[in-house]
């Protein structure tokens, strides 16, 4: 079982600097290549009011124009935003949220779902893409258990999320 993704793919520095291959880049109506959209930014921590407010009430406030929910992202965008969250707040293993505010993959996904940046269905598709990438490398355990392995490094986490985002984008998601 190969759990060291850094040796299988480009380095994390190369992965973040590499543009989407031209075959996957969208075309403008005139046939020219369009710019690749910037990765989504990591959201701020939800305020106490946002954490205490149930989603049903928050959606009612949206309907009344008193609240603005963010636009939920597709799985590829969600995976890219998960990387941004881990870059901003820090990565950890064994806990969804550490006492110092660091997060594991699942914790970052929880933050994005709680703040409305991803729907539960899109998050489930993103998880499927992560599991597919892990399976290609002989890893049969769930992504959150793989995240918690004692020898795990953030470079492997970043590579997994990047590869899963590319897989999702290649599948039109």
């Amino acid at each position: 079982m190969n759990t060291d993704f850094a040796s299988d793919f480009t380095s994390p520095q190369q992965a973040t600097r590499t543009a989407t291959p031209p075959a996957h880049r969208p075309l403008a109506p005139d046939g020219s290549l369009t710019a690749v959209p910037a990765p989504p930014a990591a959201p701020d921590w939800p305020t106490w009011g946002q954490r205490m407010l149930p989603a049903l009430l928050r959606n009612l406030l949206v309907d009344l124009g008193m609240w603005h929910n963010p636009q939920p992202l597709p799985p590829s965008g969600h995976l890219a935003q998960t990387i941004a969250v881990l870059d901003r707040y820090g990565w950890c293993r064994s806990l969804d949220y550490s006492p110092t505010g660091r997060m594991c993959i699942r914790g970052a996904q929880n933050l994005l779902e709680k703040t409305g940046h991803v729907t539960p269905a899109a998050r489930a598709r993103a998880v499927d893409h992560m599991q597919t990438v892990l399976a290609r490398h002989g890893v049969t355990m769930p992504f959150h258990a793989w995240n918690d392995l004692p020898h795990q490094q953030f470079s492997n986490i970043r590579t997994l999320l990047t590869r899963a985002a590319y897989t999702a984008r290649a599948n039109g998601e």
Side-chain angles (χ1 to χ4, degrees), residues 40-43 73 75-90 103-110 112 118 123 126 130 143 154 157 161:
L73 294 173
S76 60
H78 168 63
L79 290 161
Q81 194 171 33
T82 302
I83 295 170
V85 167
L86 295 174
D87 281 339
R88 180 174 180 183
Y89 296 110
M103 296 176 229
C104 70
I105 298 171
R106 189 170 56 187
Q109 288 186 308
N110 289 342
L112 293 171
V118 67
R123 178 181 174 177
M130 282 191 286
F143 76 94
F154 183 59
I157 302 300
L161 292 169

Side-chain angles (χ1 to χ4, degrees), residues 52-78:
M52 302 301 287
L53 197 62
L56 182 65
L57 181 58
R58 194 169 61 221
N59 291 335
L60 178 63
L61 292 173
V62 167
D63 293 341
L64 296 173
M66 300 171 67
W67 186 276
H68 177 70
N69 276 335
Q71 180 68 34
L73 294 173
S76 60
H78 168 63

Side-chain angles (χ1 to χ4, degrees), residues 16-135:
T16 57
R17 284 185 268 148
T18 304
T20 305
H24 298 294
R25 289 178 68 184
L27 295 177
D30 64 358
S32 63
L33 292 175
T34 60
V36 175
D44 292 329
W45 274 101
T47 63
W48 279 105
Q50 290 169 327
R51 283 184 254 176
M52 302 301 287
L53 197 62
L56 182 65
L57 181 58
R58 194 169 61 221
N59 291 335
L60 178 63
L61 292 173
V62 167
D63 293 341
L64 296 173
M66 300 171 67
W67 186 276
H68 177 70
N69 276 335
Q71 180 68 34
L73 294 173
S76 60
H78 168 63
L79 290 161
Q81 194 171 33
T82 302
I83 295 170
V85 167
L86 295 174
D87 281 339
R88 180 174 180 183
Y89 296 110
W91 169 75
C92 71
R93 60 176 75 86
S94 300
L95 298 169
D96 282 359
Y97 306 100
S98 75
T100 60
R102 294 174 175 268
M103 296 176 229
C104 70
I105 298 171
R106 189 170 56 187
Q109 288 186 308
N110 289 342
L111 172 70
L112 293 171
E113 187 174 341
K114 177 68 176 168
T115 56
H117 287 86
V118 67
T119 63
R123 178 181 174 177
R125 291 293 306 139
V127 168
D128 290 343
H129 291 298
M130 282 191 286
Q131 290 300 142
T132 299
V133 170
L134 287 172

